[in-house]
Amino acid sequence: MRSVIDILDLSTEEIDDLIKTACDIIDDPDKYAEKCKRKKLATLFFEPSTRTRLSFEAAMYELGGNVIGFSAANNSSASKGESVSDTVKTVSCYADIIAMRHPKEGAPLVASMAASVPIINAGDGGHNHPTQTLADLLTIYREKGRFDNLTIGLCGDLKFGRTVHSLINAMSRYNGIEFVLISPEELKLPDYVTNNVLKKKNIPYTETTDLLSCMSELDILYMTRVQRERFFNEQDYIRLKDSYILTPDKLETAKDDLAVMHPLPRVNEISVAVDNDKRACYFKQVLNGKYMRMALIMKLLGVE
Ligand code: CP
């Protein structure tokens, strides 16, 4: 039995295989319509979600399986004080695989040690979000045709942005990757990522507060939301929330084949006027997430 808690739980070869499967699903979805017949996915979401929960559920239905679960901690016995371990031991009696989101960093890892079925981390606090990274990787593959030799700008909340942390881990395994880290001082990438990943692997990176100054260098611009739910102080959130707002005029110096990505939800950080730009890829990411989650569910269930 195998869980996916961190994107590094999957080798680059396994990611290549998942991408191959996802592309095959896109080409021939009918072939996969009964692959998970009589299997059940449990979605245990202790924190709000639109894309991740619904795409996991859509993925399982499109594989012919069924879904049980809850969408908020207060709809479960966690509200009565039940531990994460007891919750997943219980749900292991009902489901073949569990996708779990939790506001506390490390909760899905704890769950994976107690569960008797595979656990997929669907986002843990400001830590990791490996299945968003799978969606991001399929998007990069389909838009750029490669994972090597890319300059990737990461913009916004790099401190609490779990999608950013997972994407850095994933992309750091390829050759010729360079990161431009664009954030306010207060939301810089945590030292544990800078030191344990970028410095340790000698990956070139620059830190800046100025998005426009680096726009022309980027192959990928990955925008992120400043996350109100991660702040202890509302005044800090209000001060920082509109640090970066991508508008069409700011893309004037950008490459023609730039991929503008965002894990969503967005608030103000990308103007809706950018949605019509051919370089906007964020709704493609949403759809790619469903296909990669289908591929991952099959892999963890041992479905051929
Ligand atoms: N990208 C993402 O995790 O979105 P949700 O919070 O809506 O699941």
Side-chain angles (χ1 to χ4, degrees), residues 10 71 156 158 263 298:
L10 296 164
S71 59
L158 309 189
M298 285 195 294

Side-chain angles (χ1 to χ4, degrees), residues 2 4 7 10-25 130 134 137-138 291-300:
R2 180 148 177 225
V4 171
I7 192 67
L10 296 164
S11 68
T12 52
E13 291 76 19
E14 287 177 311
I15 285 173
D16 288 347
D17 283 345
L18 290 172
I19 285 175
K20 206 169 144 196
T21 304
C23 291
D24 198 49
I25 294 169
L134 291 178
L137 291 173
L138 180 57
Y291 296 126
M292 286 302 265
R293 290 178 177 112
M294 289 172 79
L296 182 64
I297 289 169
M298 285 195 294
K299 178 179 177 62
L300 296 182

Side-chain angles (χ1 to χ4, degrees), residues 45 48-53 101 122 129 132 162-163 263-265 293:
F45 277 60
S49 166
T50 295
R51 274 146 294 273
T52 311
R53 185 173 67 84
R101 170 171 288 189
H129 194 346
Q132 177 62 48
R162 58 193 175 198
T163 62
L264 303 181
R293 290 178 177 112

Side-chain angles (χ1 to χ4, degrees), residues 100-210:
M100 183 179 134
R101 170 171 288 189
H102 202 285
K104 285 205 177 128
E105 288 84 358
L109 178 63
V110 170
S112 71
M113 294 188 280
S116 52
V117 299
I119 299 280
I120 304 174
N121 179 4
D124 61 327
H127 195 210
N128 280 314
H129 194 346
T131 63
Q132 177 62 48
T133 304
L134 291 178
D136 299 343
L137 291 173
L138 180 57
T139 307
I140 292 170
Y141 176 76
R142 285 165 68 83
E143 297 302 314
K144 311 302 292 183
R146 66 185 194 278
F147 292 127
D148 293 326
N149 302 316
L150 292 167
T151 299
I152 303 171
L154 300 160
C155 179
D157 177 1
L158 309 189
K159 180 178 180 183
F160 299 113
R162 58 193 175 198
T163 62
V164 165
H165 306 159
S166 288
L167 186 60
I168 288 175
N169 269 314
M171 293 308 293
S172 294
R173 296 192 288 189
Y174 299 101
N175 296 318
I177 297 299
E178 203 169 321
F179 291 106
V180 184
L181 308 174
I182 310 145
S183 74
E185 279 298 318
E186 294 93 328
L187 296 178
K188 280 170 69 171
L189 195 67
D191 285 345
Y192 79 86
V193 184
T194 316
N195 293 334
N196 298 345
V197 186
L198 301 179
K199 287 185 181 162
K200 195 169 172 183
K201 294 186 165 185
N202 283 322
I203 295 169
Y205 71 95
T206 51
E207 292 183 298
T208 178
T209 56
D210 183 5

Side-chain angles (χ1 to χ4, degrees), residues 37-65:
K37 204 172 168 185
R38 286 191 284 278
K39 299 283 185 193
K40 284 195 288 288
L41 165 75
T43 51
L44 310 186
F45 277 60
F46 297 82
E47 191 184 71
S49 166
T50 295
R51 274 146 294 273
T52 311
R53 185 173 67 84
L54 296 182
S55 68
F56 264 116
E57 297 189 357
M60 194 54 163
Y61 285 126
E62 290 188 26
L63 292 168

Side-chain angles (χ1 to χ4, degrees), residues 28 42 51 55 65 125 127 129 134 154 190 219-220 233 240 253 260-261 277 302:
D28 189 0
R51 274 146 294 273
S55 68
H127 195 210
H129 194 346
L134 291 178
L154 300 160
D219 298 304
I220 292 166
N233 178 336
L240 295 169
T253 59
V260 179
M261 298 175 65
D277 192 301

